[in-house]
Amino acid sequence: MQRDVVITGIGLASSLGEGIEAHAAALAGTPAPIVDTASFAPYPVHPLKPLELDRQIPKKSDQRQMEPWQRLGVYAAGLALDGAGIKDDAQTKSILQVIVAAGGGERDHAVDGAILTGLRGANEPGSFLNERLMGDLRPTLFLAQLSNLLAGNIGIVHGITGASRTFMGEEQAGVDAIRTAHARIASGQAEIMLVGGSYNAERRDMLLLFELGGYLRKGDFAPVFSREDAPGVITGSASGFLVLESAERAAARGARVHATLDKVAATRSKRQPGTVETALRGLLTGLGPVSSGALAVSAATGAAGITAEEAAAIATLPQTRRIATGDLVGHAVEAAFPVSVALAAAALSTGQAKEAIVTGAGHWRGEGAARLGTA
Amino acid sequence: MNAIDQTLSHRDSKGRPIVAVTGLGIITSLGQGKDANWEALTAGRSGVHAIERFPTQGLRTTIGGTVDFLFDGSFTAPELSEKLAMLAAEEAVGQSGLGAPGDFPGELFMAVPPVEMEWPQKQELAASIDGDVDYDGLLRAAASQKFKAMHEMFLFGTVADHVADTFGTKGSPISLSTACSSGATAIQMGVEAIRRGETQAALCIGTDGSIHAEALIRFSLLSALSTQNDPPEAAAKPFSKNRDGFVMGEGAGALVLEDYDHALARGATILGIVAGCGERGDGFHRTRSSPDGKPAILAMQDALADAGLAPDDVDYINAHGTSTPENDKMEAMSCAAVFGERMARLPMSSNKSMLGHTLTAAGAVEAVISFLTIANSRIPPTINYTTPDPAIALDVVPNVARNATVRTVLSNSFGFGGQNTSLVLSAEPARA
């Protein structure tokens, strides 16, 4: 038995601001990207437009116990719950299952720098490190770093007592989160789910991880599919959450359906030149016939080689418009695919298209695709 | 085997495919493999010892259940976690006889510890720059592309990716965390995928090899760890009155899950059934459980309901039993709420008294031990139980293993961030 799955809540926050309207307007037009090329030079990033946190995280004590990526995610999750009309529905929140795609917490950059400097001259580096960590790490820092604590904070702040799971593994975590949430509702294992991810790009520790592998673009912004001069990822702070629901349940409660989530597929090609294009073509074929005029939303990273391969796979679709999520909000790693699906849903919800295809290829591993329609 | 079995379509009480276990693998501080671990666990032997992996001067806790017998030189947490997972998976897949080497016909669900760049690697970068160290300097060092291997090493998805490559699992491998219930969640996800009919087999692994200085210090700063370092093997004392925190442990557990009919059709040995799973969130606090134990109670009840069983069907509880004052009290109270007065004589022991808390791996490690408990009709004890807590009236199988017929185990896993997962693990059902 396969049941229809619909999207009844969309939570988006990024450099463009928050909510469906701000993002739908950007999807419909050709806005100048919001890029900060100075703060993390030579690495450009799309900075988060500051949020009025009190609107979704009323307690200051909760705000204090989170890091930026967690606050951003909790905020966007709250928008999705509000939009779905279930924020104050304790009964629904007791069965609401949550899947979050997450990375890890932020380092205390000043502490790390001071310890690394001190370690150079330390006679006993081991005990020096112990002493400094015991003295300088904030006890609560650990909680702000644990991957599953975004889900934990969503539960605490929004009063969700259904269970949560956190997927890790960079971009593919976002694909698999959406895929698994869809599969559980379609098969009858769940009725309603909150799924999404959150990424804070304004942190040097994550830039460091990407730069170790040589994946970052340096210098100015260029569109994701036009970075031949200097291929690479431009990261962006962004969060996307969706409330997914069985069509029957949504209809029974008279919920507004933004879009249908028809199919989600994922694979893992053993990366060689050409494998990403082949993998994505295979996934797109599996989505079934796509009607002409569909919107193509791509979570492409901008990384060398694979971005052109994704473009080639998308070119096989009868699409009228291709939108790179990275051009609008930057690349949000674990959140890139959820944000892309949320953007596609926002476009369908505002009548910009009747069908949308979402694709994505992780900067290092993993390929995914989804098809959305209108109810 | 009765030939008729192969033509029947077996379903559970809810009409779903039955999820069989056909392979088990384990590695802990007690040793590698089921035999070594079972011998030690039933002898009541602890794997906890003084940490030698890194200097412990100035630390409040200096002990752990580290796995020290796999590498000669230094290694990172993801490297050890991967090695542990590979060894446990090799044992489990080998036992199952499923597929061919490098061609496992099912999906991969892995509980892996969160990873990040570690101090030795950061020091390596810092050594290549002049003046005081800051992240801009580290970024300049990284831009030289001389440290490229560190990128792959510290990605969250790498351990599962490598395991998927080695065993040839199908589909997109899942790396997951539900904190200290992660291993149980990996099993639950395998069960769900098989019940959905997406796959006929799943390789479910929980692994954790992340005892390094900063990881230990982080837990220490939360006052979560036992500081009774001497003697190390006596520090983990679940349900005792003088319990004072958990002891970090390392290890991996791996299970091959398989559609029961699929397993029967190929003549596989059925080691047991994952009969039911329950999970609940706790919106109460980031590290503390709801004082009323409600999420834990509901997780256990959900697991039993999912299995179509009643509390009276449970023969033994494999406790989360971390040895922290709060967990053990909450767990005992929650079990009393689920099992009523029967709780006074229903055996419930904690493997963590011997292994320490294997964190991300614990749910999988303890599920493997639960199936060994069923197979051997013998319950591993809770060791170090010399000072009973009068507030907790339990049969903890104190200090000495016990023979008992065990057909159904309830295995609990609870974690930071409000994660509560319970599994109902059973012997193979009587064949029709």
Side-chain angles (χ1 to χ4, degrees), chain A residues 1-6 182-192 245-249 261-262:
Chain A
M1 176 194 65
Q2 285 292 299
R3 308 190 302 168
D4 291 336
V5 179
V6 298
H182 175 270
R184 290 183 66 192
I185 295 173
S187 67
Q189 289 176 342
E191 282 298 323
I192 182 165
E245 198 164 352
S246 69
E248 297 97 310
R249 188 180 196 279
L261 182 59
D262 303 332

Side-chain angles (χ1 to χ4, degrees), chain A residues 107 112 120 153 165 170, chain B residues 116 131 135 156 165 279 286:
Chain A
R107 300 295 305 183
D112 281 4
R120 281 176 173 165
N153 278 298
R165 298 173 191 172
E170 292 70 42
Chain B
E116 61 181 3
Y135 269 81
F156 281 92
D165 275 348
E279 59 175 345
R286 289 165 186 82

Side-chain angles (χ1 to χ4, degrees), chain B residues 196-268:
Chain B
R196 285 197 297 266
E198 274 175 18
T199 182
Q200 292 199 299
L203 179 56
C204 301
I205 306 173
T207 186
D208 202 319
S210 60
I211 300 184
H212 50 73
E214 185 169 329
L216 185 136
I217 288 167
R218 287 173 174 182
F219 278 119
S220 187
L221 289 171
L222 290 173
S223 302
L225 300 180
S226 172
T227 56
Q228 295 176 5
N229 296 306
D230 189 24
E233 58 274 14
K237 38 195 170 313
F239 307 111
S240 290
K241 189 164 191 292
N242 55 340
R243 67 188 185 276
D244 71 322
F246 72 85
V247 176
M248 292 176 78
E250 293 179 330
L255 298 88
V256 173
L257 305 187
E258 193 173 346
D259 182 297
Y260 183 56
D261 290 325
H262 185 267
L264 287 181
R266 68 182 183 92

Side-chain angles (χ1 to χ4, degrees), chain A residues 107 112 117 120 130 145 148 153 164-166 168 170 172 176 189 204 211 213 268 270 363 365, chain B residues 55 116 126 129 131 133 135-136 145 148 156-157 161 165 172 175 177 192 196 214 218 279 286 416:
Chain A
R107 300 295 305 183
D112 281 4
T117 303
R120 281 176 173 165
N130 290 349
Q145 289 182 315
N148 74 306
N153 278 298
S164 71
R165 298 173 191 172
T166 296
M168 305 178 297
E170 292 70 42
Q172 196 69 352
D176 287 325
Q189 289 176 342
R204 284 177 173 75
E211 185 62 331
R268 183 187 70 108
K270 189 70 186 157
H363 77 281
R365 281 289 184 275
Chain B
E116 61 181 3
I129 55 177
V133 183
Y135 269 81
D136 283 327
Q145 295 299 295
K148 224 172 158 67
F156 281 92
D161 190 77
D165 275 348
S172 181
S175 304
S177 174
E192 289 172 352
R196 285 197 297 266
E214 185 169 329
R218 287 173 174 182
E279 59 175 345
R286 289 165 186 82
F416 283 174

Side-chain angles (χ1 to χ4, degrees), chain A residues 12-19 22-23 26 31-36 44-51 72 76 199-202 221 234-240 324-332 339 343:
Chain A
L12 276 164
S14 70
S15 53
L16 298 173
E18 65 175 77
H23 289 86
I34 318 277
V35 183
D36 176 356
V45 301
H46 298 253
L48 181 67
K49 184 174 181 180
L51 302 168
L72 170 58
Y199 186 75
N200 173 28
E202 297 152 77
F221 172 84
I234 301 176
T235 58
S237 297
S239 177
T325 301
D327 290 348
L328 298 180
V329 303
H331 181 61
V339 166
L343 287 172

Side-chain angles (χ1 to χ4, degrees), chain A residues 202-245:
Chain A
E202 297 152 77
R203 42 187 286 203
R204 284 177 173 75
D205 53 359
M206 280 310 297
L207 290 172
L208 179 61
L209 182 62
F210 279 93
E211 185 62 331
L212 282 166
Y215 285 94
L216 293 180
R217 177 179 167 93
K218 299 185 185 71
D220 288 340
F221 172 84
V224 167
F225 290 110
S226 310
R227 288 183 190 165
E228 293 79 8
D229 62 323
V233 179
I234 301 176
T235 58
S237 297
S239 177
F241 273 86
L242 300 166
V243 174
L244 303 183
E245 198 164 352

